[in-house]
Amino acid sequence: MVITPRPDAPNRYVAEPSVLTALRTPHVLTKEVLAGLVVALALIPEAISFSIIAGVDPRVGLFSSFVMAVAIAFLGGRPAMITAATGAVALVIAPVARDYGMDYFIATVILAGLFQVVLGVLGVAKLMRFIPRSVMVGFVNSLAILIFSAQLPQLIGVPWMVYPLVAAGLAIMVLFPKLTKLVPAPLVSIVLITVATVSIGLSVPTVGDQGELPRSLPELFIPNVPLTWDTFRTIGPYALAMALVGLLESLMTAKLVDDVTDTRSRKTREALGQGAANVLSGLFGGMGGCAMIGQTMINVKVSGARTRISTFLAGVFLLILVVVLGDLVAIIPMAALVAVMVMVSVATFDWHSIRWSTLKRMPKSETTVMIVTVAVVVATHNLAIGVIVGVLVAMVAFARRVAHFATVERSLDEEAAVPSANYRVEGELFFASSNDLTTQFDYTGDPDRVVIDMSNSHIWDASTVAALDAITTKYEHHGKRVIITGMNEASTKMHERLAGKLGAGH
């Protein structure tokens, strides 16, 4: 199906507002700047924790987040999406740092970026169209659960004052937008909770407790590894896994932002941009990464940002905060950032999908796909694995459902000069629906002439051609002649190309 847009239809690839419009509009620019600041504050503890997961120094994750956010602001295909160091990528490449050292670790990041560029050129982003809505809903819901569960370490075994601070932060973010939306509520919450904590002198966990912040700018880092086949064989599997996980998570996040903003993004450009950003991240000693759903939702859904300005400034503010204002950032209580992330998880979850009225209306297979996706993601803490399993389950469910749409109707024409059995085949014929096709015919009871009418069916694969070959062969063994009629052009071409050459029935 080809959809031709109206000549007067807006270009949905064009971000609204554009960067130039935002720069000329003070209230839009203010929103973008403040959104970037909020995201930068939220990036700091996550980048540090992901560095720990990867087994590297905190500065590796922080520098990676800075480089990738700035790079993707220019190179990416989805305005306002945040790209930085992530837990999914950290988990994939952590064994490299542990077993082979920092040089091999950085080489893996650079190679993963090159893999992503190649995959982008090959058009892998176009495969996003095959991800069904039920998997997307499962992706969103599992992401919300992971974002919330990631906050639990900051809520368990901590001073009791953390809980009222988190509650106060949540209350501010719920109530402040009713007064004004000019300033992002998360930023107001972080500032007020920090001021209150410092003023009262509360002893609660802070950002500074998560790890040492860097004091210098990132420098060019060329990994000292031999350019040999052995090196490629060592880091290649990790780099490819990182490339696939990063692309899948980034493209799924881009699709989610498309839905939230009612615009379209350039998925192929995003794949190429992710690859280039990872290469640059590696060259500056970063751990690489991909799109961050939590911070993206802070930027787009909570703060209302829509342009590349917020993404760019998130990276710039991150560098300024950790290098120049590190001492100030270090005193921010983790409770303030936990409140922001809890709010993000609540806003991200698709609550409509679990309402009883929705579950009653939805086909059971769709609900099953959503639940399986959520369960696998939560169990593995890997969004890519969950999405892949969800797509596979959706494919099986779809094949089972479509398989029942193929029907065979039999009628006898005994009054004709040459009696014949007429079979009318209807539906889409592929491996799932054609497997039982051979059982629908009466090989011994039919007269010597058999007509199979295919005018209301379509042949999609070699399995169906093999089934027709088997039917023809079975009738020939009983001395009967089969005539196949009514095939459309595409089915005829496939049948003529493959019939009698697949070994079916022989």
Side-chain angles (χ1 to χ4, degrees):
M1 177 175 66
V2 178
I3 301 176
T4 305
R6 301 192 322 270
D8 60 336
N11 183 357
R12 288 170 62 82
Y13 283 110
V14 177
E16 294 293 342
S18 66
V19 171
L20 290 177
T21 301
L23 291 173
R24 289 195 291 256
T25 312
H27 77 275
V28 175
L29 181 59
T30 300
K31 182 182 289 186
E32 297 290 320
V33 172
L34 294 177
L37 180 57
V38 173
V39 171
L41 289 168
L43 278 173
I44 294 170
E46 298 234 342
I48 294 173
S49 63
F50 296 150
S51 299
I52 294 170
I53 291 173
V56 296
D57 190 270
R59 73 182 66 235
V60 176
L62 290 166
F63 286 162
S64 180
S65 296
F66 158 68
V67 172
M68 294 199 74
V70 171
I72 210 69
F74 294 97
L75 303 174
R78 174 64 264 177
M81 191 167 78
I82 305 298
T83 292
T86 59
V89 166
L91 286 170
V92 170
I93 59 174
V96 181
R98 183 183 66 243
D99 299 337
Y100 301 101
M102 195 62 188
D103 286 294
Y104 279 83
F105 180 85
I106 297 300
T108 303
V109 173
I110 296 172
L111 182 59
L114 295 175
F115 278 149
Q116 287 180 327
V117 170
V118 172
L119 290 170
V121 171
L122 294 176
V124 72
K126 295 176 182 177
L127 297 176
M128 284 299 296
R129 71 184 69 180
F130 297 110
I131 297 180
R133 180 187 177 278
S134 52
V135 174
M136 192 67 195
V137 172
F139 169 81
V140 170
N141 289 347
S142 58
L143 210 42
I145 294 171
L146 288 185
I147 292 172
F148 180 81
S149 62
Q151 311 315 309
L152 295 181
Q154 301 295 336
L155 295 171
I156 298 173
V158 294
W160 69 271
M161 274 305 299
V162 167
Y163 304 112
L165 288 176
V166 172
L170 291 171
I172 292 170
M173 284 183 283
V174 170
L175 299 175
F176 187 79
K178 296 180 180 180
L179 299 176
T180 178
K181 293 185 178 180
L182 211 57
V183 182
L187 179 59
V188 176
S189 174
I190 292 170
V191 171
L192 291 180
I193 297 299
T194 303
V195 170
T197 303
V198 174
S199 300
I200 301 173
L202 296 176
S203 179
V204 293
T206 63
V207 171
D209 296 332
Q210 305 303 303
E212 185 181 354
L213 300 177
R215 300 287 181 179
S216 60
L217 296 174
E219 299 175 352
L220 192 65
F221 184 100
I222 304 299
N224 183 22
V225 296
L227 298 177
T228 62
W229 173 250
D230 285 339
T231 300
F232 181 81
R233 195 170 56 184
T234 299
I235 67 175
Y238 295 104
L240 183 58
M242 174 182 165
L244 292 173
V245 168
L247 272 187
L248 185 55
E249 196 160 331
S250 298
L251 294 175
M252 290 289 284
T253 304
K255 190 173 188 299
L256 180 60
V257 178
D258 290 352
D259 294 339
V260 171
T261 60
D262 194 30
T263 57
R264 291 177 64 189
S265 55
R266 294 180 172 91
K267 303 295 191 303
T268 297
R269 177 176 171 179
E270 183 61 38
L272 295 171
Q274 289 288 331
N278 271 310
V279 171
L280 290 171
S281 171
L283 290 175
F284 282 94
M287 60 181 280
C290 61
M292 299 190 75
I293 182 68
Q295 278 66 20
T296 297
M297 287 298 101
I298 291 176
N299 198 43
V300 174
K301 207 166 187 177
V302 180
S303 301
R306 290 293 182 271
T307 76
R308 299 175 186 273
I309 296 173
S310 58
T311 306
F312 173 75
L313 289 179
V316 173
F317 282 142
L318 173 64
L319 189 66
I320 294 173
L321 287 170
V322 298
V323 175
V324 181
L325 303 175
D327 293 337
L328 188 62
V329 171
I331 67 173
I332 295 175
M334 285 301 297
L337 298 177
V338 168
V340 172
M341 298 310 293
V342 169
M343 197 71 182
V344 169
S345 69
V346 172
T348 301
F349 197 92
D350 186 351
W351 297 99
H352 180 267
S353 67
I354 61 171
R355 288 179 186 168
W356 180 243
S357 57
T358 304
L359 294 174
K360 283 196 300 183
R361 285 195 302 267
M362 290 292 288
K364 290 181 180 179
S365 59
E366 300 273 322
T367 303
T368 301
V369 169
M370 187 262 286
I371 293 173
V372 168
T373 303
V374 171
V376 173
V377 170
V378 172
T380 63
H381 283 241
N382 191 312
L383 291 163
I385 294 175
V387 169
I388 291 170
V389 172
V391 170
L392 291 175
V393 173
M395 288 169 60
V396 172
F398 175 76
R400 282 174 58 107
R401 192 162 62 245
V402 174
H404 299 303
F405 293 160
T407 59
V408 179
E409 295 181 2
R410 176 179 181 266
S411 63
L412 291 176
D413 187 3
E414 297 176 337
E415 298 180 359
V418 180
S420 65
N422 300 312
Y423 288 89
R424 184 180 181 85
V425 181
E426 296 185 0
E428 306 302 316
L429 302 176
F430 64 112
F431 63 90
S433 58
S434 62
N435 278 339
D436 296 329
L437 196 61
T438 56
T439 65
Q440 306 297 312
F441 295 82
D442 186 358
Y443 300 105
T444 57
D446 282 340
D448 291 343
R449 186 173 185 267
V450 178
V451 179
I452 302 177
D453 181 6
M454 306 282 290
S455 55
N456 287 329
S457 61
H458 186 97
I459 296 176
W460 287 103
D461 60 7
S463 297
T464 304
V465 177
L468 291 175
D469 280 355
I471 292 167
T472 302
T473 302
K474 287 177 184 290
Y475 274 116
E476 288 175 349
H477 287 165
H478 288 84
K480 300 173 183 181
R481 179 171 172 244
V482 176
I483 301 171
I484 300 176
T485 65
M487 283 188 188
N488 58 38
E489 185 178 353
S491 297
T492 300
K493 286 182 179 179
M494 180 171 285
H495 188 259
E496 289 177 348
R497 188 170 69 251
L498 299 176
K501 300 173 183 177
L502 298 172
H506 297 291

